[in-house]
Amino acid sequence: MKRFFSALLLAGCATLLAACGPSKPELKFNNTDVTGLDYAKDFALTDHNGKPRTLADFKGKVVVMFFGYTQCPDVCPTTMIEMANVMKGLGPEADKVQVLFVTVDPERDTQEVLSQYVPAFDKRFLGLRGDLPQTEKVAKEFKVFYQKVPGKQPGSYTMDHTAGSYVFDTQGHIRLFVKHGQGPQTLTHDIKLLLN
């Protein structure tokens, strides 16, 4: 009888200890975990179809947000190609992901230009733009650097800008910062973690 109560007591303690442990294993991201960041919380811009958008529009999806411009010679198209490969790597789960391309060059990147450029990489991708004050406001909210660099021809210019992407979970909370050039596999892995 004494042995029975000892076994019962041990089983009870083991159950209590198990209940004290973490309910979910810690997520091991490949990219920089920025969960709880006190900026990069929202935006108010217009998509390439002319529809006003905020982060809340994409609740239920993992959102990947990249700042760039359509005349960018290298970083932007490379990132967009990588994102298209991420979508391929996700298979059917790609429908639960929204890629947003935010222009830092609204003077040249009109709604029409964005509507041709952005979906060329993947028809589900959305281009976002604002006027100059809106662009400045969203860049400040996301701590994104950008500036015009005069070109060789009069009136021509390029844009220096932060080359990285922000990733939000399905509840609209900021979770990751993805440095440029990480390769599609690392982000595919991280998005799968956020979707499960």
Side-chain angles (χ1 to χ4, degrees), residues 20 132 158 192:
C20 292
L132 290 171
T158 57
K192 283 182 176 179

Side-chain angles (χ1 to χ4, degrees), residues 117-174:
Y117 180 83
V118 178
F121 295 96
D122 186 297
K123 64 183 188 323
R124 295 166 287 197
F125 291 4
L126 280 175
L128 297 177
R129 71 181 304 277
D131 57 22
L132 290 171
Q134 287 171 317
T135 302
E136 190 178 332
K137 183 178 178 183
V138 75
K140 190 175 179 183
E141 168 63 21
F142 282 78
K143 297 196 184 303
V144 167
F145 164 83
Y146 70 101
Q147 73 176 14
K148 277 186 185 181
V149 178
K152 292 176 182 173
Q153 305 300 321
S156 71
Y157 63 90
T158 57
M159 300 290 291
D160 278 351
H161 62 93
T162 301
S165 304
Y166 287 100
V167 181
F168 297 84
D169 64 22
T170 56
Q171 298 304 305
H173 301 129
I174 187 77

Side-chain angles (χ1 to χ4, degrees), residues 48 70 101 110-119 128-129:
H48 67 243
T70 63
F101 176 91
T110 62
Q111 181 182 324
E112 186 182 355
V113 169
L114 286 173
S115 71
Q116 292 172 10
Y117 180 83
V118 178
L128 297 177
R129 71 181 304 277

Side-chain angles (χ1 to χ4, degrees), residues 24 27 29 33-37 40-41 43 54-65 96-98 100 142 166-177 187 190-196:
K24 277 188 172 181
L27 298 179
F29 294 118
D33 189 337
V34 294
T35 303
L37 210 60
K41 295 190 178 186
F43 58 83
T54 66
L55 191 56
D57 292 331
F58 307 107
K59 196 158 187 180
K61 290 188 173 192
V62 168
V63 174
V64 182
M65 194 170 175
K96 300 176 197 167
V97 177
Q98 182 61 62
L100 303 174
F142 282 78
Y166 287 100
V167 181
F168 297 84
D169 64 22
T170 56
Q171 298 304 305
H173 301 129
I174 187 77
R175 298 300 299 274
L176 300 169
F177 181 77
L187 185 53
D190 290 355
I191 288 174
K192 283 182 176 179
L193 287 181
L194 290 172
L195 286 171
N196 296 321

